[in-house]
Amino acid sequence: MAIDVSPVPQALRDAAYNNGQAVPSWVATFAGWTAESADIRARYPTTMDLPYGRAERQKIDLYPGQDPAAPCLVYFHGGYWMRNSREMFAVLGEGVAARGWSVAMPGYTLAPQACLADIVGECSAALDWLAAHAPAHGVVGPLIVAGWSAGGHLAAMALSHGAVTAGLAISGIFELAPLADTYLNETLRLSPAEIADLSPLRRPPVMKPLAITYGARELPALVANSHAMQAARLRAGAPGTLLPVANTDHFSILDTMRRPDGALTRALLALAP
């Protein structure tokens, strides 16, 4: 199926060259999240750093919830597939954890040590591990994937996994072609075959619920990408909603995932089977 992404490429190139500078305070924000996440991780010493593979970053932090049968949020972090780590984002599970959910935060090998195809494969392997081993840690509910920015791409790709029931893509990147002409490709080294195979917009839509969301003050390129993804899914009859979050940008939207009544927490709760 041909996908028209003509309004998106130049804007996505511009967003890439911005190198994450959607708001000026992101470094301080990430530092704060990392410190708070360290405190949360310390409360779950027996379920941190669970290996799902042999590589250093092929580990999962698992936060069993109050209700073992409640859904488990599986969150894939962002950072253009080449920066950040799962340890920084434990705070983002606070909203659904307050509602009894479990939370899993898989890590993955970053580019250029891994190509994007390998990263997508690692995320699938993490889901395999959770399906097989999470029950031994008291997590038996359905898996709902979510991710932000590059993690939004990974969540969209993971929606097809057999253990996944639904997904939430936050400011995701669903068409990879515009990145080929940016500095990012010096590290990602995307081949034409990878761009064609790993762009969610070019794949047949997965017939599972996918909520697509972005901040009202998001970069126009990512807004356009979200609208294009939602339009493709609607044409195919795939279930899901498009959710702009008022008064938020590329980073502050994630704060609404931390509150039990936040917009992204509510979006996740609505995905529960």
Side-chain angles (χ1 to χ4, degrees):
M1 178 175 63
I3 297 295
D4 179 12
V5 295
S6 55
V8 179
Q10 185 57 51
L12 267 182
R13 291 188 185 100
D14 294 343
Y17 279 117
N18 282 342
N19 194 18
Q21 299 296 326
V23 294
S25 62
W26 67 272
V27 174
T29 297
F30 278 7
W33 288 350
T34 301
E36 293 178 69
S37 292
D39 292 337
I40 295 172
R41 297 181 78 248
R43 299 202 296 266
Y44 296 84
T46 63
T47 54
M48 296 295 98
D49 305 315
L50 300 171
Y52 69 85
R54 295 183 178 181
E56 174 60 29
R57 284 179 172 259
Q58 291 178 350
K59 295 176 182 176
I60 295 174
D61 293 341
L62 186 60
Y63 305 88
Q66 296 176 354
D67 179 1
C72 178
L73 167 65
V74 184
Y75 179 81
F76 298 108
H77 72 78
Y80 278 128
W81 308 277
M82 64 180 72
R83 58 178 77 99
N84 300 333
S85 68
R86 71 186 190 281
E87 295 94 338
M88 299 167 63
F89 297 103
V91 294
L92 300 184
E94 290 181 310
V96 293
R99 302 298 189 101
W101 285 34
S102 298
V103 178
M105 300 262 178
Y108 53 86
T109 306
L110 301 179
Q113 284 71 36
C115 67
L116 188 53
D118 289 339
I119 291 170
V120 170
E122 289 185 15
C123 293
S124 182
L127 291 165
D128 289 343
W129 187 94
L130 286 166
H133 300 288
H137 297 283
V139 179
V140 299
L143 303 182
I144 295 178
V145 294
W148 161 75
S149 198
H153 164 271
L154 296 175
M157 295 294 291
L159 193 64
S160 62
H161 191 281
V164 172
T165 62
L168 173 68
I170 309 160
S171 299
I173 300 169
F174 306 116
E175 170 56 51
L176 299 173
L179 303 183
D181 296 334
T182 73
Y183 78 97
L184 295 171
N185 213 32
E186 296 173 9
T187 300
L188 295 173
R189 300 171 187 170
L190 292 168
S191 69
E194 282 184 307
I195 289 169
D197 184 50
L198 301 177
S199 292
L201 262 170
R202 304 195 194 192
R203 290 189 160 208
V206 178
M207 294 299 163
K208 299 176 186 178
L210 177 67
I212 299 171
T213 185
Y214 58 87
R217 300 199 299 267
E218 179 56 88
L219 292 168
L222 296 179
V223 174
N225 225 210
S226 292
H227 279 264
M229 184 68 172
Q230 176 69 359
R233 289 179 55 81
L234 283 176
R235 287 194 295 270
T241 58
L242 184 66
L243 176 65
V245 179
N247 302 316
T248 63
D249 55 43
H250 189 66
F251 297 94
S252 61
I253 189 174
L254 293 176
D255 287 326
T256 74
M257 203 168 162
R258 300 184 59 178
R259 302 193 303 270
D261 62 346
L264 294 190
T265 299
R266 294 196 305 271
L268 286 165
L269 294 173
L271 293 170

